[in-house]
Amino acid sequence: MAHISFTDRELRHAWRSLYQASAQHPRSNPHRLLLLYAIECGLKALWLKRARRTLFEAKDIGQTGHDLRKIISQLRLNLPLPDTFHLPDVFDARRNPVARRHNALENLHQAWRYGGQLEAPNDDATLETELENIYLQITKELRS
């Protein structure tokens, strides 16, 4: 997959506008997905700020992908996110159960994009709250 470079200005604008579009209460999966992408853009903008750079390049994108935990770790932020999330089991055409537990957090965008409803302990509301806390930390650092 080709990676496109983006400026810090573009990432900051995406962070703000995606968050604003996500601010629907109660949120549904499309709003959660926008929140997730807002956090990703904000973390990458913060990464650029700390590196004193203005362009998030293809090599940077290849290092991070959608892995928010990896970016948070690289930034040395003390912001908790779970390693995994769970979706309810489903059944295939032969009525055999298909387990959908222990999904890597970097695949959360797929769950929300395709309409999945997360199960405890990291259900939709819990992850929304954690993402909101990350948003607040990004806001503090990008505005300072």
Side-chain angles (χ1 to χ4, degrees), residues 63-124:
Q63 289 179 335
T64 60
H66 292 288
D67 193 343
L68 301 183
R69 289 176 46 83
K70 189 176 200 177
I71 303 168
I72 288 169
S73 174
Q74 289 174 356
L75 291 170
R76 292 186 169 91
L77 295 171
N78 187 20
L79 298 168
L81 275 176
D83 293 332
T84 62
F85 64 92
H86 307 301
L87 294 168
D89 293 346
V90 293
F91 297 92
D92 66 14
R94 293 189 174 148
R95 304 292 300 154
N96 296 315
V98 177
R100 300 188 304 166
R101 304 187 65 71
H102 307 291
N103 300 287
L105 189 68
E106 67 187 82
N107 296 319
L108 181 58
H109 66 285
Q110 291 180 48
W112 283 340
R113 182 173 62 226
Y114 297 128
Q117 299 298 309
L118 281 53
E119 289 187 325
N122 300 310
D123 60 8
D124 295 317

Side-chain angles (χ1 to χ4, degrees), residues 14-24 27-41 109 112-113 131:
W15 165 66
R16 285 188 301 269
S17 61
L18 287 166
Y19 181 79
Q20 189 173 40
S22 79
Q24 179 78 25
R27 279 189 177 112
S28 62
N29 278 7
H31 302 107
R32 290 181 191 109
L33 186 58
L34 293 173
L35 174 61
L36 183 68
Y37 286 138
I39 299 305
E40 181 179 340
C41 291
H109 66 285
W112 283 340
R113 182 173 62 226
L131 292 172

